[in-house]
Amino acid sequence: MAVEFSEVRGVLRPLCESLDGKSSVHRDNRDEWNGKVRKYLDKRNEMNRQVKDLINEVQTQKAIRDELNLRVRGLKEVRVEHSDHLKDIRTKLRAELTAQEEQGTQESKRDKRPSAGKIRTDMERLEKRYNTGQFLGEKERDYHKKAKQLSEALKEASKREGPGTMRELKDSVRDAERLQEEAHKSVERAVGSAQEAHDLMVELSEEVDRLREKANSAHSSLTRSKREADTMHGRYIVSLRCIHSIRDMMKAMDSREKREEDMGGAGRLEVADLMSKLMAGGTLSTEELMALRRN
């Protein structure tokens, strides 16, 4: 039996040493994959956090865009109102011009005096000549005299032509044009702001898709790393169990050999005692005879 145990030990010891080395490799591989698990987990969580923040920003930009679009619609309605008003004023102005032309044609046959509009034009030309230095020195008196004459002529022409309907219409046209232009610029600014918010929303949405793809990739790597880590951990545990089983077997063999050695020594001592008893003329009991027979 001692020879058989020795042979078994010759097989088990190298196997135990080999398994011990493999278990260390499995443990190191497991730890390495666990490190990758943590890395990909952190990466995935960070990507998901960024995605969440960007989605909130997309919603914010969408709300801004929708609000600006409502403002654009309101401003377009205002622009239409100003445009319609401008058309009405221009129509009235053209009608008034036509009426005055007809009246002026008739009156020109009776009255050769210049109209208020003609006098205003002459006054503007005179003022321009004065501002460019064409009335210096003694000529300045001519300017003041001419300006006074034109002013008096304008008063007479204004009284003759009646209330300043034409002037009022022209002023109304200019005011309407200004309001229509301001309304148009307000629409353009609002449209530009709405487009900027929309473009930013689209850009953020594209970034959300890109980050989601990266988060999904990190999650796939995380799943694969966890699977590999679990596999390495399982192999490590199996190796440890095999090592412990082999060591238990060798301990059991050692214990059995020791027990058999102890029992073999006790048997030899018991046989010597029985033989001495017989040689001394003693009588052996049945149990002692059986023990002597076994040995």
Side-chain angles (χ1 to χ4, degrees):
M1 184 63 69
V3 175
E4 293 178 1
F5 282 169
S6 176
E7 291 177 356
V8 173
R9 286 193 187 93
V11 174
L12 293 181
R13 282 198 180 97
L15 180 60
C16 185
E17 292 174 357
S18 175
L19 288 172
D20 190 41
K22 289 182 179 179
S23 68
S24 298
V25 173
H26 294 326
R27 181 193 61 210
D28 294 340
N29 289 337
R30 179 202 63 185
D31 294 343
E32 182 179 351
W33 281 111
N34 279 333
K36 292 181 180 180
V37 167
R38 172 49 57 187
K39 181 183 73 172
Y40 289 124
L41 178 63
D42 292 342
K43 184 177 181 180
R44 184 200 64 182
N45 291 343
E46 175 62 20
M47 292 299 102
N48 286 334
R49 184 192 65 78
Q50 293 182 24
V51 165
K52 183 179 179 180
D53 292 342
L54 284 175
I55 288 175
N56 291 335
E57 185 61 26
V58 167
Q59 295 299 322
T60 299
Q61 292 302 319
K62 183 178 182 297
I64 293 174
R65 183 203 62 182
D66 293 344
E67 182 179 352
L68 287 170
N69 283 335
L70 287 174
R71 185 181 176 191
V72 167
R73 285 195 286 271
L75 289 172
K76 283 183 177 179
E77 292 175 358
V78 172
R79 184 180 63 181
V80 169
E81 292 176 0
H82 287 304
S83 296
D84 292 342
H85 178 64
L86 177 59
K87 289 178 183 178
D88 292 340
I89 296 296
R90 283 175 173 171
T91 300
K92 291 179 181 179
L93 179 59
R94 283 193 295 269
E96 184 66 23
L97 285 172
T98 301
Q100 285 195 5
E101 285 176 359
E102 293 176 353
Q103 182 180 0
T105 301
Q106 294 175 358
E107 291 180 351
S108 63
K109 297 178 181 178
R110 300 190 302 269
D111 189 356
K112 299 298 182 180
R113 290 174 295 181
S115 65
K118 176 65 170 56
I119 294 172
R120 289 191 185 93
T121 302
D122 292 341
M123 291 177 70
E124 290 175 357
R125 287 177 183 162
L126 182 67
E127 184 71 20
K128 186 176 181 181
R129 290 177 60 196
Y130 177 77
N131 291 332
T132 56
Q134 296 184 28
F135 291 94
L136 298 175
E138 295 181 358
K139 290 184 178 181
E140 187 172 356
R141 270 201 251 164
D142 295 337
Y143 163 74
H144 290 297
K145 181 178 179 182
K146 185 65 175 175
K148 185 176 181 182
Q149 291 174 353
L150 290 173
S151 179
E152 292 175 354
L154 179 62
K155 290 179 182 179
E156 292 179 3
S158 297
K159 290 179 182 179
R160 187 172 64 250
E161 294 175 2
T165 304
M166 182 64 65
R167 170 72 63 177
E168 293 174 358
L169 285 173
K170 288 182 178 179
D171 290 342
S172 297
V173 168
R174 282 194 293 270
D175 291 339
E177 288 175 342
R178 177 179 55 79
L179 292 173
Q180 194 271 348
E181 181 64 21
E182 290 177 355
H184 178 67
K185 290 181 178 179
S186 296
V187 170
E188 289 183 333
R189 286 193 296 269
V191 168
S193 298
Q195 186 62 44
E196 288 178 0
H198 176 74
D199 292 343
L200 181 56
M201 185 189 73
V202 171
E203 183 180 348
L204 291 173
S205 297
E206 292 175 352
E207 182 67 10
V208 166
D209 293 338
R210 189 183 68 83
L211 289 177
R212 272 180 174 163
E213 185 175 346
K214 292 180 68 175
N216 291 336
S217 177
H219 181 72
S220 297
S221 298
L222 167 65
T223 302
R224 184 172 63 87
S225 299
K226 190 175 186 306
R227 185 170 57 248
E228 292 293 337
D230 291 342
T231 299
M232 292 299 106
H233 180 69
R235 292 178 181 177
Y236 172 64
I237 294 301
V238 169
S239 298
L240 288 182
R241 288 175 178 172
C242 290
I243 291 171
H244 291 160
S245 297
I246 291 173
R247 289 175 178 172
D248 290 342
M249 289 172 62
M250 289 192 293
K251 286 181 181 179
M253 286 188 292
D254 292 342
S255 298
R256 184 169 179 178
E257 285 180 338
K258 186 174 184 301
R259 185 171 61 254
E260 289 179 352
E261 289 177 358
D262 292 342
M263 287 178 64
R268 288 191 294 271
L269 180 59
E270 184 179 355
V271 170
D273 292 341
L274 292 175
M275 291 299 293
S276 299
K277 186 176 182 181
L278 284 172
M279 292 180 67
T283 303
L284 298 179
S285 64
T286 303
E287 289 80 4
E288 290 174 337
L289 287 173
M290 293 297 294
L292 182 60
R293 191 173 186 179
R294 284 197 302 270
N295 289 282

